[in-house]
Amino acid sequence: MGNRVPLSVLLVLVTVLLSIFHSEQLQSSHSQTFLRIQRLLNFPAVLSSWNNNTDFCSTDSTSSLTVACYDGTITQLHIVGETRSPLLARNFSINSFFTTLVRLPSLKVLTLVSLGIWGPLPGKISHLSSLEIFNASSNFLYGSIPQELSLLSHLQTLILDHNMFSGHLPEWFDSFPALTVLSLKHNLFNGSLPDSLGSLENMRILSLSHNHFYGPVPDLHRLTNLQVLELDDNGFGPRFPQLGDKLVTLVLRNNKFRSSIPDEMSSCYQLERLDISANTFVGPFQLALMSLPSITYLNISGNKLTGMLLENLSCNSGLQAVDLSSNLLTGILPKCLMSNANDRTVLYARNCLEETNQNQHALPFCHTEAIAVGVVPEGKKHKPVSKAVLSLGIVCGTFGGVSIIALLFFIIRRRNVKTKTKDPPPTKLISENAASGYTSKLLSDARYISQTMKFGTVDLPPYRAFSLDEIVAATNNFDSACFMGEGSQGKMHRGQLKDGLLVAIRSVKITKSFSTQDFVHNIEQIFKYRHRHLVSVLGHCFECYLDDSSVSSIFIVFEYVPNGTLKSWISDRHYRKSLTWTQRIEAAIGVAKGIQYLHAGIVPGVYSNNLKITDVLLDQNFVAKIKIYDLPLLSLMRKVGQGNPSRELKSPSTNKNVKQEDESDVYDFGVILLELILGRTIKSRNVDTLKDLLQASITADGEARRSIIDPAVRKVCLDQSLKTMMEICVRCLVKEPAERPSNEDVLWNLQFAAQVQDAWVGDSQSGSDDSPISPLASIRMTFH
Ligand SMILES: *[C@@H]1O[C@H](CO)[C@@H](O)[C@H](O)[C@H]1NC(C)=O
Ligand SMILES: *[C@@H]1O[C@H](CO)[C@@H](O)[C@H](O)[C@H]1NC(C)=O
Ligand SMILES: *[C@@H]1O[C@H](CO)[C@@H](O)[C@H](O)[C@H]1NC(C)=O
Ligand SMILES: *[C@@H]1O[C@H](CO)[C@@H](O)[C@H](O)[C@H]1NC(C)=O
Ligand SMILES: *[C@@H]1O[C@H](CO)[C@@H](O)[C@H](O)[C@H]1NC(C)=O
Ligand SMILES: *[C@@H]1O[C@H](CO)[C@@H](O)[C@H](O)[C@H]1NC(C)=O
């Protein structure tokens, strides 16, 4: 028998070998995909167990990490990062990330929670055509829901809570016939809901809380499986939604509902939680709601519901919390609410009940109010409360009108701000009658440099040499009324040029004998100091001795920035209105851009500028500008006065510690951020303590975070924006210079904070943001 192997055995062997080979190959390609995912997510702690030798299909699953395989393919990937994970670094690319994910085309379950993922959800997700459950909560996804998502016809669960999605909910939601859970809580969606939602008959949980939706809720009565409907914190209304009767949870809190409660609610026998608080519901409060067999939480507070409570009413013994406060109820609090009251909350203040425990209005109040809203008497409940709605409608219509006007005003103002900043200031060319033989070569060099280095972003007249006469005329011969101050480097005067332009002029006395030619390099250095976020240099002037024409003084002419220091706008509360949150972020962005320019826009860079909040000025449009009167350009000039100018030109940047010096500006910037957040100036010995406080509050809840910041912005800053600002601030203040973030990193985070805040303020038109000028969207940034 020996060497004759039957063909069939051979075939089996080959097949087995092939399939082993195949599955190993599959395994290794999957491994690469997983390792790539790990890398793209920047090695989060939850994936720390993954390495080259991991057998991904046979790892133990935990609540935060699960990989499930079936038949050699990956069917489930479940990754839950640490709560409040910060944004992934700027080099994260959501596109690469999804390109990698779609290499697992058999995925049915994909959970990517709290991983710091940011960017718009790529349409590529549609390649995961088997996807049934997708949970991407608590990331930083933004933009609208991509149309391609509609190709995922097996999708059953879509959870995108706590992201920054915006735009309308698309009409094509009926392309998910199997959809049972749709949860979009805490995003920035707006618009009204598409009617197609009403045809998703398998829907069990629909949660749209905390967005900017408005308008009527589509007819949902066909959703007979609907158990949870959460619409709180939106602008829905005015009619009570039409619903099936299987509801377990119904939350309509804080919307714009203005109708009565339909009778059908009293037959929702599975209803456990009903929260219709903070609306303007009118008409009778159905007492039967209190005795629904499953009800445990009932909150009708903050409406205009009427009715008379009786002592002998019955209520469900499982009731945990009842809040009837701020309505128009009369009568006596039912006994059943008071019995076994040990762990039950019962609130009923601000009604007209015959009770003394919680604050009540006098009976006539409720009667007049009830008439005022035109409540129809019981018994006619089926007629809608048309009058009530009408009269309220008029009132609200008027309010609506007012807010539209306010909005228009706001938009126009914004436009104005924009055009204002675009309009170049009046520029008049004044003949270059420079005091000394200032070469036109220098000026043409200046033009050359300004083009190549793009400091053309400043709306300023071109750099030029001024004559002494001009300087004298502008300052009224250095009149004491024009005196602004004196530093170690000479006096500062305010002045006005003939064309009306306001300027600030620094005079530097030169004690040694130098000719103007000796200063060529210094002047070359000086006219690089032109940038939107620097108090820019407009020109210079030499004063020379008549006898040997050596230089006696140098005048440096700066633009005049009229609006005072940043400090005065956050802490001098009695004398001026403090900056809004948005303006603070924008100011911070300005300062960061100024620093970035000093480091990288000028060659050689200027480091270690020892910046303080008093070194930042605001112009009439609240654009922040770093005051550079005292920056190294002038210390250079001072040194010039003491030695040979051309040898003194070595800028600090040629120093080997560039990196460290770079980071020292970042630290100083961190202190300014801290001051902006806390709304007060801070002594350097207190910085560490306050940094720790900030650090602690980052991991606490939003409330705690808010409690430590400047009360002037507490109400209007969005938590995500605040958190981002705090995080970057803390990172700037790290002890070890090398661990501080780069300028780019700082800027990116600030712009992110601005973007989040802007999206939010822009959407809610929050009336509290009543700043003199709101340069909101001037930095619509792109993330790529
Ligand atoms: C992103 O940058 C960080 C450092 O900032 C680096 O550690 C990481 O490898 C980079 N990630 C990618 C995907 O390039
Ligand atoms: C994993 O494998 C890749 C290539 O297959 C190699 O470049 C890398 O160094 C390996 N990593 C470890 C930790 O062994
Ligand atoms: C989605 O993720 C959140 C956050 O971890 C979790 O609370 C929720 O239960 C998840 N939902 C599903 C259906 O997996
Ligand atoms: C909805 O939000 C989008 C994006 O944020 C915005 O462009 C649009 O104007 C908003 N629409 C309404 C009606 O508020
Ligand atoms: C009822 O709702 C109001 C407004 O939404 C809220 O302030 C109050 O705490 C709620 N009552 C209870 C008992 O939860
Ligand atoms: C409750 O008391 C009122 C009068 O106080 C009476 O008319 C009503 O029948 C009583 N209801 C029940 C259920 O006992």
Side-chain angles (χ1 to χ4, degrees):
M1 52 176 211
N3 39 12
R4 287 195 72 210
V5 183
L7 190 63
S8 57
V9 172
L10 246 182
L11 265 179
V12 166
L13 215 72
V14 166
T15 319
V16 167
L17 276 176
L18 265 181
S19 79
I20 288 175
F21 177 69
H22 178 69
S23 93
E24 275 196 343
Q25 207 181 28
L26 212 68
Q27 288 289 330
S28 98
S29 90
H30 285 160
S31 299
Q32 277 169 20
T33 305
F34 283 122
L35 294 177
R36 193 169 154 79
I37 288 173
Q38 180 187 32
R39 184 153 40 86
L40 289 171
L41 292 176
N42 202 16
F43 303 95
V46 56
L47 302 184
S48 57
S49 62
W50 285 6
N51 59 44
N52 277 353
N53 306 320
T54 310
D55 178 359
F56 291 95
C57 282
S58 50
T59 49
D60 292 336
S61 59
T62 66
S63 62
S64 48
L65 180 60
T66 305
V67 178
C69 306
Y70 177 75
D71 211 7
T73 63
I74 312 292
T75 54
Q76 292 190 30
L77 176 61
H78 174 95
I79 311 175
V80 179
E82 278 158 27
T83 34
R84 303 171 213 279
S85 288
L87 212 56
L88 284 173
R90 205 155 47 106
N91 59 4
F92 172 75
S93 156
I94 193 161
N95 257 317
S96 316
F97 183 62
F98 272 81
T99 308
T100 306
L101 276 176
V102 300
R103 293 195 202 145
L104 306 172
S106 313
L107 277 181
K108 290 182 192 295
V109 178
L110 177 58
T111 306
L112 301 167
V113 170
S114 295
L115 293 170
I117 297 173
W118 59 267
L121 187 62
K124 287 198 185 88
I125 191 177
S126 61
H127 298 328
L128 298 174
S129 57
S130 310
L131 205 58
E132 293 173 5
I133 298 180
F134 180 47
N135 187 352
S137 315
S138 304
N139 285 296
F140 304 90
L141 299 168
Y142 55 81
S144 51
I145 297 189
Q147 165 95 51
E148 291 89 337
L149 198 73
S150 64
L151 300 171
L152 299 178
S153 55
H154 299 292
L155 202 62
Q156 293 171 9
T157 294
L158 178 61
I159 302 177
L160 302 174
D161 299 342
H162 291 276
N163 277 288
M164 292 154 20
F165 283 106
S166 59
H168 293 203
L169 214 53
E171 188 62 45
W172 44 255
F173 258 88
D174 50 5
S175 29
F176 306 124
L179 202 62
T180 56
V181 177
L182 175 61
S183 186
L184 307 175
K185 286 185 269 200
H186 288 266
N187 277 285
L188 302 166
F189 286 110
N190 65 10
S192 51
L193 296 184
D195 289 337
S196 56
L197 280 185
S199 60
L200 296 168
E201 294 182 12
N202 290 305
M203 188 75 86
R204 219 160 33 75
I205 299 179
L206 178 57
S207 187
L208 305 175
S209 314
H210 213 102
N211 277 286
H212 304 306
F213 289 119
Y214 52 80
V217 180
D219 184 352
L220 301 179
H221 85 276
R222 279 163 63 203
L223 309 190
T224 49
N225 297 301
L226 192 63
Q227 293 181 350
V228 175
L229 179 62
E230 293 171 321
L231 303 178
D232 43 308
D233 295 317
N234 278 290
F236 288 118
R239 298 227 143 265
F240 199 96
Q242 286 171 285
L243 303 166
D245 59 3
K246 297 265 178 55
L247 279 175
V248 175
T249 295
L250 176 61
V251 183
L252 304 180
R253 184 180 57 233
N254 198 14
N255 273 286
K256 296 197 157 66
F257 290 107
R258 268 181 249 129
S259 65
S260 59
I261 306 171
D263 287 348
E264 291 80 38
M265 282 315 291
S266 312
S267 53
C268 288
Y269 56 95
Q270 295 179 358
L271 195 63
E272 290 173 11
R273 187 179 178 88
L274 177 63
D275 185 348
I276 59 169
S277 62
N279 280 286
T280 319
F281 281 112
V282 294
F285 166 51
Q286 283 139 26
L287 303 172
L289 289 175
M290 288 194 293
S291 54
L292 285 174
S294 312
I295 195 102
T296 58
Y297 180 95
L298 176 64
N299 192 344
I300 63 163
S301 74
N303 283 292
K304 289 183 181 290
L305 294 167
T306 55
M308 181 183 265
L309 304 184
L310 299 173
E311 204 168 8
N312 61 1
L313 287 176
S314 62
C315 39
N316 179 29
S317 59
L319 265 175
Q320 293 291 315
V322 181
D323 193 341
L324 310 175
S325 40
S326 299
N327 275 288
L328 306 173
L329 302 173
T330 59
I332 303 169
L333 202 67
K335 272 216 179 80
C336 67
L337 286 180
M338 301 318 272
S339 60
N340 67 27
N342 15 359
D343 55 352
R344 177 186 288 173
T345 311
V346 179
L347 302 175
Y348 49 86
R350 294 175 303 278
N351 280 285
C352 302
L353 297 170
E354 294 167 33
E355 292 291 335
T356 49
N357 281 348
Q358 296 180 20
N359 224 351
Q360 298 295 319
H361 299 294
L363 200 54
F365 173 84
C366 290
H367 283 316
T368 5
E369 282 279 304
I371 292 165
V373 297
V375 172
V376 283
E378 285 199 52
K380 286 193 188 169
K381 278 181 257 172
H382 273 299
K383 288 254 150 94
V385 279
S386 48
K387 251 191 205 151
V389 172
L390 194 67
S391 68
L392 281 169
I394 291 168
V395 172
C396 300
T398 320
F399 278 130
V402 170
S403 61
I404 285 173
I405 291 170
L407 177 65
L408 275 178
F409 181 62
F410 182 69
I411 290 172
I412 290 170
R413 236 177 18 178
R414 266 169 74 160
R415 285 256 166 81
N416 278 348
V417 171
K418 273 192 195 152
T419 46
K420 244 187 238 158
T421 46
K422 266 185 198 154
D423 274 349
T427 334
K428 249 191 237 162
L429 279 175
I430 301 174
S431 60
E432 295 179 1
N433 52 347
S436 66
Y438 238 76
T439 60
S440 55
K441 176 190 170 293
L442 203 54
L443 293 165
S444 63
D445 281 354
R447 233 163 282 132
Y448 167 71
I449 296 172
S450 83
Q451 272 160 12
T452 49
M453 300 194 51
K454 294 208 182 88
F455 25 72
T457 44
V458 229
D459 311 323
L460 286 174
Y463 187 95
R464 67 187 179 89
F466 289 83
S467 70
L468 188 57
D469 289 346
E470 276 182 281
I471 301 291
V472 168
T475 56
N476 202 5
N477 198 12
F478 302 100
D479 191 279
S480 58
C482 298
F483 183 67
M484 289 167 73
E486 178 161 13
S488 54
Q489 301 160 26
K491 293 186 170 131
M492 200 79 200
H493 284 87
R494 195 179 13 250
Q496 187 166 24
L497 300 181
K498 256 191 271 167
D499 62 358
L501 193 62
L502 290 173
V503 292
I505 299 172
R506 170 143 299 222
S507 341
V508 187
K509 281 243 176 299
I510 306 295
T511 50
K512 296 229 168 125
S513 171
F514 292 116
S515 76
T516 52
Q517 277 310 318
D518 290 331
F519 290 99
V520 170
H521 289 296
N522 300 73
I523 296 302
E524 272 179 355
Q525 184 73 7
I526 285 172
F527 55 48
K528 294 177 192 165
Y529 287 83
R530 288 166 68 89
H531 185 266
R532 181 172 157 83
H533 296 291
L534 299 184
V535 178
S536 299
V537 183
L538 303 176
H540 67 275
C541 166
F542 288 106
E543 185 186 35
C544 301
Y545 291 111
L546 276 177
D547 46 2
D548 62 353
S549 70
S550 66
V551 178
S552 65
S553 294
I554 302 180
F555 302 99
I556 300 179
V557 183
F558 294 91
E559 63 174 321
Y560 180 76
V561 180
N563 235 341
T565 66
L566 182 56
K567 169 180 180 286
S568 72
W569 281 94
I570 61 160
S571 59
D572 293 358
R573 203 139 289 148
H574 300 296
Y575 128 79
R576 44 174 46 143
K577 190 172 206 163
S578 75
L579 290 186
T580 65
W581 182 243
T582 309
Q583 287 172 324
R584 286 175 203 221
I585 305 178
E586 303 231 332
I589 289 175
V591 177
K593 284 186 174 165
I595 295 177
Q596 191 183 34
Y597 180 76
L598 286 172
H599 289 181
I602 298 179
V603 184
V606 183
Y607 299 91
S608 296
N609 294 301
N610 195 16
L611 285 179
K612 306 212 167 36
I613 195 163
T614 44
D615 294 326
V616 180
L617 304 182
L618 295 180
D619 77 0
Q620 64 279 11
N621 296 321
F622 290 83
V623 173
K625 290 172 184 277
I626 298 176
K627 195 172 87 175
I628 51 165
Y629 317 141
D630 299 318
L631 293 191
L633 88 147
L634 283 165
S635 55
L636 267 183
M637 296 303 286
R638 193 172 47 127
K639 280 184 199 156
V640 160
Q642 296 156 353
N644 184 332
S646 37
R647 262 193 280 121
E648 293 291 343
L649 274 166
K650 287 257 177 278
S651 150
S653 71
T654 49
N655 193 308
K656 54 184 177 303
N657 289 332
V658 165
K659 179 65 182 162
Q660 293 236 338
E661 297 187 329
D662 184 355
E663 305 310 343
S664 94
D665 278 344
V666 170
Y667 182 88
D668 294 339
F669 177 73
V671 177
I672 296 179
L673 263 191
L674 194 60
E675 293 172 317
L676 284 174
I677 294 171
L678 301 181
R680 57 176 192 270
T681 47
I682 292 164
K683 297 217 168 59
S684 54
R685 62 165 187 276
N686 295 332
V687 168
D688 278 341
T689 323
L690 292 168
K691 183 193 95 185
D692 293 343
L693 177 68
L694 228 60
Q695 174 87 63
S697 84
I698 289 171
T699 48
D701 59 315
E703 200 104 334
R705 240 186 319 276
R706 245 159 244 265
S707 70
I708 65 166
I709 68 168
D710 188 352
V713 293
R714 214 171 268 170
K715 282 210 211 85
V716 292
C717 71
L718 186 67
D719 191 50
Q720 185 57 55
S721 173
L722 175 61
K723 222 170 98 183
T724 309
M725 290 285 278
M726 287 181 160
E727 278 163 357
I728 194 66
C729 175
V730 167
R731 287 175 55 210
C732 289
L733 295 174
V734 168
K735 276 251 147 50
E736 182 52 49
E739 284 166 20
R740 292 180 198 142
S742 65
N743 287 324
E744 289 70 28
D745 199 359
V746 169
L747 256 178
W748 191 87
N749 278 278
L750 295 175
Q751 288 176 325
F752 178 79
Q755 167 103 352
V756 183
Q757 179 75 18
D758 185 15
W760 184 68
V761 175
D763 269 10
S764 63
Q765 289 129 29
S766 151
S768 40
D769 198 350
D770 55 351
S771 59
I773 289 179
S774 243
L776 274 180
S778 57
I779 42 130
R780 275 251 148 236
M781 52 160 323
T782 45
F783 279 82
H784 298 289

